Amino acid sequence: MKATNLETSGLSVGGPISLTATVKETGTVHHDFYGPHHNLVAEADGTKLAFSDFTVLRGSSRTVKTQWTDPPLACVCHIKVAIPQKGGRPEVVEATVVRLPLRLVGWIVMAIISLFLLWRFGFSRYTLQRRDESVAKDGKGSGATPEDEL
């Protein structure tokens, strides 16, 4: 028995992450992945994700899917699927998903730009008002506009 492939979307901007694993039976008997202690399980950053029950017949491959329904908001997530081998090291396949909430990042960038523009144009307008008030207060009403003084 060997795990030959683990696929994900590679980039996730929100919602659940789909996982697809391919398992191949290389021995002379079939292999069952049934029950709580015999399911195929993926581990994603400490979270265990069980695939549904299935059987792999002798000499064949089987592709199974599951979803990670509650991934973190942002991460570079490493996902592993391991199949124990009798008398040897487990067969491991890995995949990486970059999770980036682009909508949230976009809203934050737009808010920062809006606040900057509001500050910038509000400040320049306030400065012009102060300049006009000081000109009127000094009585230098020469008819020159603040732009002329620049």
Side-chain angles (χ1 to χ4, degrees):
M1 176 63 57
K2 96 188 235 188
T4 60
N5 195 15
L6 179 62
E7 293 179 6
T8 65
S9 59
L11 175 67
S12 173
V13 295
I17 297 173
S18 296
L19 306 172
T20 304
T22 304
V23 180
K24 182 172 183 157
E25 176 57 69
T26 56
T28 58
V29 295
H30 73 279
H31 194 94
D32 293 320
F33 289 94
Y34 283 102
H37 301 293
H38 300 288
N39 269 4
L40 184 63
V41 176
E43 185 175 330
D45 288 341
T47 303
K48 302 251 186 229
L49 308 166
F51 289 87
S52 59
D53 295 343
F54 66 97
T55 298
V56 182
L57 299 176
R58 169 180 61 200
S60 67
S61 294
R62 182 82 190 259
T63 301
V64 290
K65 296 181 180 187
T66 192
Q67 284 194 338
W68 188 7
T69 56
D70 192 25
L73 183 62
C75 71
V76 176
C77 304
H78 302 284
I79 304 167
K80 297 179 185 178
V81 172
I83 298 177
Q85 303 293 315
K86 290 183 180 178
R89 298 177 61 184
E91 188 76 35
V92 179
V93 289
E94 298 181 33
T96 301
V97 175
V98 177
R99 180 139 169 109
L100 184 62
L102 291 178
R103 288 186 190 112
L104 178 62
V105 170
W107 282 109
I108 290 171
V109 168
M110 284 181 15
I112 290 170
I113 290 171
S114 298
L115 288 173
F116 172 75
L117 292 175
L118 182 66
W119 172 79
R120 176 69 179 111
F121 291 116
F123 183 70
S124 65
R125 188 174 196 190
Y126 175 75
T127 303
L128 289 175
Q129 283 178 341
R130 296 289 293 177
R131 190 178 294 161
D132 288 344
E133 288 173 4
S134 69
V135 167
K137 191 179 207 182
D138 291 342
K140 295 182 182 177
S142 64
T145 62
E147 290 81 22
D148 293 337
E149 293 178 8
L150 296 175

